[in-house]
Amino acid sequence: MNATTAFLRGRVGSREPRVGIVLGSGLGGLADAVEESLVVRYADIPGFPDSSVAGHRGELVFGRIGETEVVLQAGRFHLYEGHDPQTVVLPVRTFAELGVETLIVTNAAGGICPTFSPPVLMLIADHINLMWRNPLLGRVGAGESRFPDMSEPYCPSLRTLARRRALEVGVSLEEGVYAGVLGPNYETPAEIRMLSRLGADAVGMSTVPEVIAARARGMRVLGISTITNLASGISPSKLDHTEVLAAGAAVTNSLEAVVRGVLGAP
Ligand code: HPA
C-alpha cells in the first residue's frame, strides 16, 4: 500500500467507497448531496498537489449518496496546468486502491454537434484522445494491464441505466463522442471543423486520462459532459471561462438528478 492510500485508509476508517465521482468545472454542487460526509483536503494528502483552477475545490469527499458509499473528487488535476499524466490520474488510481469499482466522470465541454442546445447534458458514448499524452506510459501500474482493451471505454449497461433514469426524472440527455484536447486555449474554428470531421460531438480538456487509467484497472466508467457552450466558430460569441462555469451551474441539478438515479438514490 502506498503512502497516499495508507493515509486515506487511516482517515476514512471503515468507509468503503464503491463508486468514485470526478467532478468537472462548475459541477461541485454534487458534493453538497453527500450525506455523512468526511472531507479530506488535498493539501493534507501525501502525494497530492494542491488544486488551483477557479471553479475547482481541492478535496476528496467521502460519504453516502442514497445507500451507496461514494468518494467524490472535487477539484481535478489537468494536463494544461502542467501536471504530468500520472498526477492527473492519481485520484482515480487511489480510488481503485480504496476498492472503488465504478467511476462516474463529469466535465464541462463545448458542443460540436449542431443539434446540441447548451446548457445540456451529454452521455459520453466514446472518446478520442487528442491530448498526445497517456497516463499508462512507462512502468505498468499496480493492478493494471499493459495493453488494456478500449473497445467499451464507457460501460454500455451504465449508459442504458443513465438514459432510463434521465427519462424518469425529465432531464434531456444527449449522447456522443468526446474529444479530449490538451488546451488551455479554446479551439479555433478550423480545429472545431477538423474535430467534427473526426467524429467528435463535444470537446474538452479533461476526462480522457482518468478514463484510460480507470479502464486499465478494470473499473466500469460512466461519463457525463455538461455541454456549456457551442464550440468555437459554431457559437456566435467568444468563449469565456466564467460563462462556462455559469452554464455548468445551471444544469448541476439535472446532473445531480441523473447521478442520484444511477446510484439508485431517491
Ligand atoms: N472547448 C474546450 N473545453 C471546453 C469548452 C470548449 O468549447 N467548453 C467547456 N470546456
Side-chain angles (χ1 to χ4, degrees), residues 12-254:
V12 302
S14 60
R15 291 165 201 253
E16 296 207 336
R18 286 284 165 254
V19 177
I21 306 177
V22 183
L23 299 177
S25 299
L27 301 173
L30 203 57
D32 302 327
V34 177
E35 293 159 46
E36 294 169 27
S37 65
L38 172 81
V39 176
V40 186
R41 291 169 46 240
Y42 291 170
D44 298 331
I45 307 176
F48 266 57
D50 249 326
S51 162
S52 64
V53 185
H56 286 260
R57 318 223 296 220
E59 50 201 31
L60 297 183
V61 182
F62 294 83
R64 275 190 308 102
I65 296 182
E67 297 300 308
T68 310
E69 287 287 341
V70 297
V71 52
L72 268 63
Q73 180 188 344
R76 204 185 216 136
F77 305 121
H78 298 90
L79 291 170
Y80 62 71
E81 293 169 276
H83 293 300
D84 59 41
Q86 280 73 22
T87 302
V88 172
V89 303
L90 179 63
V92 167
R93 284 183 166 150
T94 304
F95 288 178
E97 290 294 317
L98 293 172
V100 166
E101 293 154 348
T102 302
L103 187 72
I104 302 179
V105 279
T106 65
N107 61 43
I112 297 176
C113 177
T115 58
F116 288 176
S117 178
V120 68
L121 302 181
M122 183 192 86
L123 199 53
I124 307 180
D126 202 343
H127 74 221
I128 305 174
N129 183 2
L130 291 171
M131 299 175 130
W132 316 115
R133 304 285 187 284
N134 195 305
L136 307 182
L137 279 184
R139 229 161 35 88
V140 181
E144 296 178 1
S145 48
R146 172 75 295 180
F147 302 112
D149 174 71
M150 285 295 274
S151 58
E152 284 184 345
Y154 300 87
C155 175
S157 56
L158 283 177
R159 278 157 57 201
T160 303
L161 181 63
R163 277 194 296 270
R164 194 175 301 145
R165 295 293 182 248
L167 205 60
E168 282 165 11
V169 293
V171 166
S172 308
L173 192 58
E174 303 284 4
E175 186 159 2
V177 173
Y178 175 91
V181 296
L182 189 58
N185 58 284
Y186 289 117
E187 301 70 35
T188 65
E191 286 165 346
I192 293 300
R193 284 194 297 276
M194 174 192 75
L195 292 175
S196 172
R197 285 175 193 150
L198 291 180
D201 298 295
V203 57
M205 306 172 196
S206 68
T207 303
V208 167
E210 290 104 318
V211 172
I212 291 174
R215 293 302 296 142
R217 281 294 293 241
M219 294 163 114
R220 301 197 306 162
V221 178
L222 177 70
I224 304 175
S225 290
T226 294
I227 307 297
T228 51
N229 55 279
L230 288 173
S232 168
I234 306 174
S235 167
S237 52
K238 293 195 168 163
L239 301 185
D240 178 83
H241 185 58
T242 336
E243 282 164 28
V244 165
L245 293 182
V251 287
T252 195
N253 286 346
S254 302

Side-chain angles (χ1 to χ4, degrees), residues 1-13:
M1 199 189 301
N2 64 31
T4 307
T5 312
F7 169 84
L8 286 170
R9 277 215 189 286
R11 283 296 301 273
V12 302

